[in-house]
Amino acid sequence: MTNLLEPEPTLLPARADAQAALDAGTSPSEVAAEHPDCSEAWAALAERALDAGEYVAAYAYARTGYHRGLDQLRKAGWKGHGPVPWSHRPNQGFLRSVAALARAAERIGETEEYLRCSQFLSDSDPEAAKATGLA
C-alpha cells in the first residue's frame, strides 16, 4: 500500500547528448557551453572547483546547476516538494549541484544555505545525501 497523499517521484528527461559527451571525457566547461541547461555539467564544474579550493567559483557553478535543475523539475511537474530519485541518472546532475552548493556554502560561511541545501537533498532522496557524502 502506498501513501496516496505523497507526490509521485519526479524524473527529469534524459539528456543523452550531454551525458554521452561527459561520459566520453568532454570537458564539463565545453558541455555547459553547448548545453547550458545541463545540471550535470555544472555539478562537475562545481565539484572540480571544490577540489581545487576555489569555493566562490564552486558556489557559482553549483548555484547555476541548481537553478537549471529547478527549472527542469518544474517543467516535469514538480511542485516544490516530493521525491527526486537519485537512481534516475538525469536527476543526479541536479542533486549533485545541490550537494556541491551545500559544500561550497559551508566553506564560505553561508551556514543557513548549507543547512537548507543539506535538508533539501535528504528530503529529495536520502540516497542522494549518502551518494554525495552529505549524510
Side-chain angles (χ1 to χ4, degrees):
M1 183 178 259
T2 60
N3 180 350
L4 298 177
L5 298 177
E6 184 174 311
E8 290 292 317
T10 303
L11 305 178
L12 293 174
R15 294 296 314 269
D17 49 350
Q19 290 171 351
L22 290 167
D23 290 347
T26 303
S27 162
S29 293
E30 289 180 45
V31 176
E34 188 160 328
H35 307 280
D37 61 344
C38 178
S39 289
E40 188 172 348
W42 293 107
L45 288 167
E47 292 161 352
R48 286 183 179 185
L50 282 166
D51 290 344
E54 298 170 0
Y55 305 121
V56 172
Y59 187 90
Y61 289 138
R63 182 156 294 285
T64 301
Y66 166 80
H67 280 288
R68 290 301 189 139
L70 282 178
D71 291 343
Q72 292 170 13
L73 283 169
R74 288 182 185 117
K75 285 180 188 175
W78 187 72
K79 303 290 186 211
H81 64 283
V84 181
W86 173 261
S87 60
H88 183 65
R89 177 165 176 190
N91 289 354
Q92 289 179 13
F94 167 72
L95 296 167
R96 286 172 50 201
S97 291
V98 174
L101 184 56
R103 283 201 237 46
E106 182 179 42
R107 298 297 279 177
I108 65 171
E110 289 283 339
T111 304
E112 287 181 31
E113 179 88 308
Y114 166 77
L115 294 171
R116 183 183 66 77
C117 289
S118 297
Q119 186 64 54
F120 182 54
L121 191 65
S122 292
D123 290 347
S124 295
D125 186 345
E127 289 304 312
K130 290 178 194 170
T132 58
L134 285 178

